[in-house]
Structures are given as C-alpha cells and as structure tokens.
Amino acid sequence: MKFKYMLSATAMTMAVVSGAFAEDSSDPIIIPIHNWSSQIVMSHVVGQIFENMGNNVEFVTTDSQAVYESVRLGDVSLEVEVWEGAFGASFNAAKEKGGIHAASEHSAVTREDWWYPLWTKEACPGLPSWEALNACAAVFATPETGDKGRFLGGPVDWLKHDQERVDALGMNFTVVNAGSAAALWAEIGAAEKNKRPIVLFNWTPNFAEAVWEGEFVEFPTWVASCNEDPSVGPNPNATYDCGNPADGYLKIAAWDGMKEKWPDAYNTLTQISFTNPQIAQMAKFVDVDEMEPEDAATAWLDANKNIWENWTK
Amino acid sequence: MAIVETRLTGKIGSLTRLQITQFLFGLAIIFAIIKPLLPEFLVRIPVEMILPYDIWLQTLFDFIKDDLGLLTVTRGISSVLEWFLDITANLLYGKRRWPNIGPVPWVAIAVVAAVIGFWLKGWKMALLAGGTFVWVALIGQWKLAMQTMSVIAVAAPMAFLIGLLLGICAWKYPRFQRAIMPVLSILQTLPFFTYLLPAVIFFKVGPTAGCIATIIYAIPPMVLMTTLGLKKVSHEVVEAGHMSGSTRWQMLRYVYLPAARTEILVGVNQVIMLCLAMVVLTAFIGMPGLGAKLLSLMNSLKLGRSFEIGITIVLIAVTLDRLSKAWVVKQPEHFERGTSWFVRHKLLIIGIIAFIVSIILAQFVQVADHITRKQDLSMGKDIDNVIRAILANDIITGVTDWLRWFLITWVLIPFRNALLWLPTGSVILAMAAFGYFVGGRKSALLVVIFFGVIALTGWWDRSMITLYAVISAVILATLIGIPLGIAAARNPKWSEPILLVCDTAQTFPSFIYLIPAIMLFSVNDVAVVFAILIFATVPLMRYTIEGIRAVPSELLEAADMAGATRNQKLLKVQLPLALPTMAVGFNQAIMFAFFMVIIAAFIGTQDLGQELQKTLAGNNLGKNFVLGMCVSLMALAFNHIIMRWSNDRRKALGVG
Amino acid sequence: MNDINPVISCKSVWKLFGGNAEKYLASMKKGQSFEQIRQAGYIAAVRDVSLDIARGEMLVIMGLSGSGKSTLVRCLSRLIDITGGEVKVDGQDIMDLNERELIDLRRKKMGMVFQSFGLLPHRTVLENVAFPLEMRGQDRHDRRERAMEVIKLVGLEGREEYFPRELSGGQQQRVGIARSLAIEPDIWFLDEPFSALDPLIRREMQDEFLRLQEILGKTIVFITHDFDEALRLADRIAIMKDGAVEQCDTPDKIVLNPATEYVAKFTEEIEKSRVIHAEVLTKPINGYKLEGASISADATILQLSRQLIGDNRDILPVTNKDGVLIGGMNRQEALNVLLGEN
C-alpha cells in the first residue's frame, strides 16, 4: 500500500517536473452522458470549462449503471452525477475494485421518495403526511387495484422497497411498478389534464419539478438502521418502516489516472460543486426552454461566469 | 382440400388424427380439473428440478470469453470496426478522428441523395431522397441523423458481406445450411435485449457494440435471400455457363451472383431496413444518434419532438427502402455504340459537380453548412400541445377509461390468472394437441420440447405472462385488423392509403408508442396490450389486403357469372383463397407481438421482458440468454404451427 | 458422313437417377425394363444407348418430354456424369477428363444452345456472345471483334448493346446461337432451340439454322419433340422412349419402315410423300432396260406426284445429282406412298 502510494507520488512529481508547469495531455477527456437532461447539460458545462482551459473533450453515450466500470478502467474519465440512492451501490462496488474515486461532492442534495403533484392536495388536503395519504387511499383507487390506492413505483430493479414499506406501515395501497422513468412522466402528464390525484415515485433534482409543482410525502423520518433493524421506526416488528433519506449525496466520480494525465483539469474538477437551483436551471434550459444541451451549457456558463471562473484558477 | 382431408382421416395406429387431437386436448382439460390431485411436477416444475442453466451458461460464456480468449479476439474486431466507424463519423458529423475532413455539409449530402434518387427512379424519387435530407436538416436533427447514419453506413455493408458469404456457403454445402437454418430462426425471434448485452460485453459500450448488434440482427435475411437467389438461378443459365467453359470461380462470379441479383438486392433492402430498426434500439446500450435523443426526449416527456424524430426515422426508412427497391428493379440501360463516356456517365458527373458546388457554397453560406438550433423549424412545442390535447380529449379519455376498466376487470386479469393457474402439464398438452392437429406427430413433439424447455428453465410464470400479453393483443388485433383489411381490400381507393399508413406505423420507432399508450391507459396491462396491438395489427391488415387482392380475376369473374353477391363472393371465394396468406400475416402479427412485448417492459410488466431489461445493466449473460431463449422458443413454436398450416393449406388449394 | 472415325461415339450409355446408382447398375440383370428399374427405386433417364455421330452429320434426337433426350445430350457434353458405358469425343473418353481438361474441351470444341436461351440477363448481347471467349481469357479487343462477327452472322447487327430482355424470343435465341458459335466449336448441341418460339418464328429460325449449317458444316446434335422439325432438319433421327433409342435412321427409312409400334405411331400422321425421296424407293435394275425421262433421286414423292400420275411406265429410271443412273423406282410403290396406302 505504502509502496503503491510512493509510486504514484513519484509519478505525480515526475509529471509535474517533466511538464514544468504541469501540462495536460492532449488526449481527449472522455465524458459520459446518459439519458436525462440535467446530467447531459452538466456534462457539457464541465466539458466546456475544460475546453476553455485548452483541453480536448469528447462525449460518449453510456448506460448510467455500467458507466462506473468504464470509469474504473479509464474508458471514460469521469462522471458528473453520482446519485447516492440510484448509483451509490454501483459506485461503491467499482470503488472497491479500485480505479475510481469521488473527486468532488456537489452542495446539492438528492431525495427520492413518494411524491405527488400539487393538485393532488385538493383531493387529499391532509398531505404531505403519510397518515393523511393513507386515509384517502380510496382517492387513488383504479380498476386494477380494486378499492386500494395505487402507488406507481419506479422500475423494480431500482430496488426501492415500496412494497415492504406499504406492508410495514400497514398502508392501504398497492404498488404498481412502472418500467421506466418515461413511464412515470407519462402518468403525470396524463393525470395533469383532469387534475387526477396521483402518487408516484419521484426524485430531486430533476426536470419534473420545473414542469409540475409537487411535494414529497413525509414518512417517518429516516434513521440509519431503519431498513435493517425491525425495532427501529414506528412498527416494532418490521423493517422499512420509514421514509428514504431526505438529503442523499450527489458526487462527481473520476478515474484515478485522471490527476496524472490531466492535472489542471483534475484540479478544476475537484472544485466543481453545483447547488440544487443551479442543477434545476440547467435542466430547465433543455426541458422547458427546448434548448439543445450544448447550447444550454453555453447559456448557463455565460450567465454564471462568477461561479465557475474561480474553479479554473 | 383433398390433401387436408386425407391427412385428417389418415390413420395412425388405429386412431385418426382428430381423435388423437381430441385425446390430447381432453387430457389437458382433465389435468386442469384435477389440478389438486396432480403430481407436483405436472403443476409446476419443482424448484429443485430446475437446473441452473443461467449459471452454467454464464460459466460457459466466461470460459469462452476469458479462458479461450475470445474477448481479445472480439476487442480486436471492435478496434477494426471502430476504425471504420471513426471514418464515417468524421465524414458525416465531424467527429475528431482520421481522416479529419468532415463533416460534409448537409446540402452536399441532400443533393447527392437527390441525384441518386433521380438515377434510380426519376423525379419523384429525387424529390423524396433530397427532401428527406432537407427535412432532417431543417428540423434541426442533422447531427443526430448523421450519427445514426454513420453506423448504418458501416453495419449495412458488413451485414451484407457476411450474409452473402454465409448464404453462398449454405447454398454450396447443404450440411452447412442444415446447421445454420435453426440458428437463423432463433436469431430472428430472439428479443433485441439478448443481442445487446453480449454485444456490450464482448465489444465495448458505445457505437462499436451497437454496430455489432445491428450487424448480427441484419444478417439472417441476407443469408436466406442469397441462398434462395442462388438456388433459383435457371439451370439453363448454369449449363450455359458450364458449356462456356467457366471454372468454379467464374461460375460464381460471372454466372450465379449476377443471375441472382434480384434476390440479393432484396436481401440488401432487408438488411438496410433491419439495420435502421436496430440502430435506433441500440440507444439502450449507449449508441448516440436519433435513438438516444428519442430516449432522452421521452425521459423528459417531450412528445412533440419525439414525434418529429419519429417522422425523421420514418422518412429515412422510406427513402432507403424505396431507393433500394428501385435498385432491385433498376435494369441496366443500353447506349448505342459510340456514345461518348460523358453522355454515358452524365448523372455521375452531374452528381460530382453538384457535390463540389454545394461544398463550396457551404464555405460561404452558413445555413448551407449547418443549421443552428435557433434557425431550425422544429415545432416541438406545438405538436406537443396538439398531442396532449388529443390524448386528454374528454371523449377519448371517456372511452379509454371505460376500455381500461372493462378490459382489466373482465378480460385481461381473468385471462392472465387463468393462464397462471393452469398446470404446466395442461398448457403443454393443449399446445401439443394444437400442434398435432396441424402438423402431426413431429409438430406436436416440437411444441412439447419447446415448451418443456421453458418449463425446465423455471421461468414458466413469467413466460405465461408474456404469452398472455401476446395472445390478448393478437386476438384484439385480429378483431380490428381483419375487418379493416377486408374493407380496404374491397375498395382499391382505400387500400393504397391504408397500406401506406401500415408502412408508416411499422417504421415508427417501436418505443415511441409507449408514451401515448401510458397517457391513454396509464401504467397497466391495457397500455401494454395497446402498444403491442398497434404493431400487431399492421401485418394482419397488410396480408389480408394482399391475400384478397391476389385472388385471380378469373375466379372472381366465374363467381360473378355464377351470380354471387358481393358477400357471397367474399365468403365463398375471396376469403378461403386468401386464408393461407392471411395466416402468414397472423404469424407475423405474433412475431411482432413477441418483439413488442419485450419493449413494453418500459411501460411496466412482470414478464420476461422486465427480467431481460434488468439484465441489461449488469453482465449476467447467462440469465440474459436463457430469458431470450424462452421468448424465442415460444415464438418459434407458434411460427412453426402457423406456417405449417399455411403451407399445407396452400398446397391443398394448389396455389403457391 | 465421310469420316470413318465418329466425332462422338457412345457405347451402352446408362444414366440412372437414385442413390448408389453405379452399384445398382453393376448388379442389375440385363434387359430390365424402365418399369422394373423404377420399381427398384431408380429413374432410368438414359438406358443402354449406343450411337455414333459422324463428322458433319446432323443427328436429331426426337422424343416426347421425359423420354431422356435432354439427359442424353447432357451426357454427351458431360453436364451430367453418366452411370455406365462410355462416351468418346474424338476418341477421348470424356469420363476420364479431370475438371480442367473438361473445361478445356468445352472451351475449344463444344457449343450449346438452350430451349429457354440461358442468356445472362445482366449482360448485353455483345457481352453474352463474348462470354465464352471471356471465360477462356481472350483479350478484350479480340473477343469483341469475334463476337461482332458472330452477331453479324446471326443477323443481330445493330442490337449488340441491347440487353436480352429488350429482345424478342427469336432474337434472344439468335443471341444464344451466336454465343454457342463464338468459340467456333466442332460440335454443336442444340437442346430444343426453337420450342419456346411461336410457330411462324420457329419456321424462320429453322431456315436460318439450315442456312448456318450450310455455311458452317458442323457436327450437330439437335434435340426436339417436334417430329416435323426432325424430319425437316435431320440427316439421321434417333427416336427415344423411356430413355432408350427405339430407332436411329434416316427420315425416309423411319417413315417407310418404322422399327417399333411406338415409332409407327409418330409416322402415322405424317404425309409420307413429303418425306420420302425417290432414292429410297429406288432398286437396282439388274440389267433391266429403262426408257424415257429419268427422275431425280433427291426429289420427294410429293414433288414427283404429277409425273407419277401422268406416267404409264411401271419402273421409272432414277438418277443422282450428277446425272448418273442409280436404279429404278416402282411407280405403283411410289403411288402407294403418295396415296398413303402402305
């Protein structure tokens, strides 16, 4: 371990010495993009910052789970949005194998939980408390759920344990799993017209909050061992009897080799940190104002010079 | 007719075929009735009997991949492929790779497309080909479209070459043909997720993997068409070649291949269409381009712009389809002796000049070079509002709400529960009875093996849910598609536009239907069935129209002279004769349904598709493959039975 | 018929279709009929055929469809390998040739014309005709020149840049003929070359063919199912049934003395006087003194009809084309032929 550290330290010194002023490699920095807007725009924002610094940048489209393996191997150089809830597991697994690390943490916090658009409150005024939600379960009933309320969860493989929570809290709801994020949005879109009450899985930051106002359902507050220890939480005999953490992290991951290959760019990367409103703004450019991601990134950078120019110094 | 009857009465042992069918079916019913008394393995294969195929396969894959070093080979292939992809990427959308001369301005490509269109089929085709590229540029999707095209430009020729070589081998060596045919059938029915994962694992995420998956997906029809074409070369032409003293190579190069030109070009057409269909789907494994954009637009619920991308894909598909079909029928034209080279190659020269002029033009006029976001004519927002207004229309929502309630409560859920309740043995016996009735002992055995394997994999319940969605959708599609098809076939004025609608509906990227389906019916089985329904109705309508229109006119005249009314003519003459063709449509409807039901996993299902979708994020090839095979085996069982019936029927009627 | 060594000579040629045909043939008893062989599971397409074809001769093989005539001609060119017997071309057993030698033989000595023309659809007339030359590697200029020559010969000048589909059936077959002649073959196989054509065109093409044969004087094996055509063209006719040759003789003799009932059935409907020449009815006169004007040996009985009826001599003197007396013809016998009384 120590030897390895020394090696990399030497390598770093060498890099610094040989480059005299630590020049970045001219190989392109490869930034992965996925299929949701905030990530795409943020990737372009970071990319354009690098380009401003004189680096070559290239974007590749990749799967959002498989990307950590690619970062680890150096096939791509970094990942700008590591969500605790969605990608924490993949990120940690890759980190354990080595080759990837967290270069920075955004000030933004993430939250993933049951959510409803604001019009739902008219039909169920007691919201956002979960007991109130449970009391008006009938409002959410559909043909396939009978007289139980219908909760639309995310795809099963997101492993959100909604069914366990329904059981643990004795809620009068049936969990129906959507097959994709798009399916969730389509449901909100369909409900919007007649202001049909609906409760479904959602997260922040994403574009939805800019399009539809809404709130998260307040479940019993999350405590560390709630999901493992039955005695924790309101139901003494069940796990998963509380909400999801309300302030998950959002990190930037980087390939270990990055700091040697592009020391300047890496140095900047470690300082990058966005807030929730900033991220929402990026997403809004694309999702509401219909800009192309590249243009949205340029627009954001133009409007926020004071923020990012410090990072490049 | 005679053949069918003798078949039915043909004795096997002392029992007729009908009796055996009835016996098998009766047994199936008895199994269902006495379910509580049945031994466990007839209800569901017990867990301990389910062998871990996925783990074995995974071990096998790992062995091939790591120990046999296939991974190095495939990574080698992928670097070669990447080199080609980089060239087309540079030329078409200016990716910074060798030869670093791109991107070619859009005007130049549009002009060249128009000239090619003119050469192949005159002004109309020129307008279509040129117009498509103008549309793509003006709507602001140039770069995306070129990202997609850059992959097709590599994948289609590769699929063509590989398919051609395999086709020649299959034609030359019957043994090789016997070996490759089942593989091709499986490839054609395997869900596309099963193409994607191995591609990613063996060929790296991104365009290379997408390109490989696309190539593999497009190869089967090329092989089949090549073999078919070579077999069809008239024996006199072959003998003429021999008598001219051709060596083997000369025979192939100068006689067989040119004489099989038509079939080979039809194969090319299919290769192009399949490439286009698949390349959009490879967005799921990180292929940039139209598909990826479509996915991200759908993820932010931008229906209008998704729709525009759909239009772009349809236009490109129609253009490529028509161009390649025009190429199929394009015959060489002769010039009188002594015509100068310039006149002979007039269009080539015009094309080159137009290309150069537009490149020069693009240097000075920015709009001719590329169109920026603010200049394009996208009307995403407006289309969005229109679509939303339609989907949220009170009458429509009223109907869909009722349909949703009715179908869920009275049709789908009971049917689904019944299928899940039925003992495995019962389902297999019923399928065997079905197979026996149509194709005799061999078919029954085949069906039993196919479904038996599914039962043994342990994915029976998921397979039944998949089957339930497919059957429900296909039945509904039959109820809608066949009457519509008959109506359209009786009025020639209607059949052309309806066939055009069919074409368009089919070339629309399949997952674009998912969002409207959800908005109409929300996330549930009705939306799933609806999405499949759209796809499955198309072939039913098309083949009904074609089947009825193909009835020889003498027969209709004979019926007229016999004093048949329109309805009598339809029921007694047209439909019976069109039935074998309609069965082909029915078969295709089922194949399409199996394809779409997997995509419908994005709506939210509990079937094989959902499991397959889950495997996509990991690297569990074994499970991915087992799931894929379950889908494929079910599809093949239906395919076998229906095609068998259709062929027997055709023979009995003495047509085809 | 002036060469002692036949160009093509086949000795008890057999062609059986079916698995392990050689073995079956070797163990087969002599004199098995077509039916008996079929019961053993084999189709006897060619059954024990022995024929000699002399240089410059035109042999017409006649038979109904399925009689094995097409198979026989393919055995002669080894498009099909025979099951038993031997086929010699210019004294060389063609079954002994390897692939290279066989290709060479075809490139130098054989030409073939097909019923449905067998033209390569993607090549122009010129390229089709030049095809055999191209195959043997002749240079572009030479083969163009030669192809033009044959195209001219068959009367297609000016159409050389056309594609087959742009031509009528008759014209297409002219292309087929030109192609088969391009390499100046010694042996010319024609497999029902005119069957696919309209009757009028067929007649025209037969005349054309006779004209070509006049110029070229090739050894010809001509296949047809049309007895009239056979009579019109042949030096000798071989009539086939169930793979075997029923009779092989000159047209006159076939018409006059059909060897089997099967052959007789063909000749029944034929107006014999059109076919039979005076020569055939001519008998040596053994010193018998003949008087008056003589008739030509080449004339058909029909051509002589007026004379036969008008004359009152019993025996008419017959002279060949050099004016030499070769014998006498019994007038009554000739009248019988004319009136169809046999």
Side-chain angles (χ1 to χ4, degrees), chain A residues 35 57-58 61 142 144 150 156-157 178-180 182-183 185 187 190 193 207 286-288 290 292 295, chain B residues 96-97 286 293 298-302 305 373 381 392 404 518-519 522-524 601-604 610 613-614:
Chain A
N35 54 17
V57 175
E58 209 163 81
T61 318
T142 58
E144 62 269 23
R150 171 173 178 270
V156 205
D157 50 322
S180 55
W185 313 142
E187 278 265 349
K193 163 81 199 223
F207 89 103
V286 171
D287 292 324
V288 181
E290 304 245 319
E292 286 298 310
D295 304 335
Chain B
R96 269 173 297 187
R97 287 290 192 278
K293 186 69 182 178
M298 279 170 51
N299 274 337
S300 49
L301 202 63
K302 286 206 215 103
R305 294 194 53 209
R373 185 75 187 103
K381 268 262 154 86
R404 174 183 175 188
I518 296 172
M519 295 190 76
S522 75
V523 174
N524 59 39
F602 288 92
I603 295 179
Q610 189 199 34
Q613 190 193 12
K614 278 201 252 170

Side-chain angles (χ1 to χ4, degrees), chain B residues 472-483 532-534 536-538 540 589:
Chain B
S472 314
V474 171
I475 290 176
L476 286 175
T478 312
L479 294 179
I480 298 169
I482 289 189
I532 304 173
L533 179 76
I534 300 178
T537 312
V538 171
L540 275 165

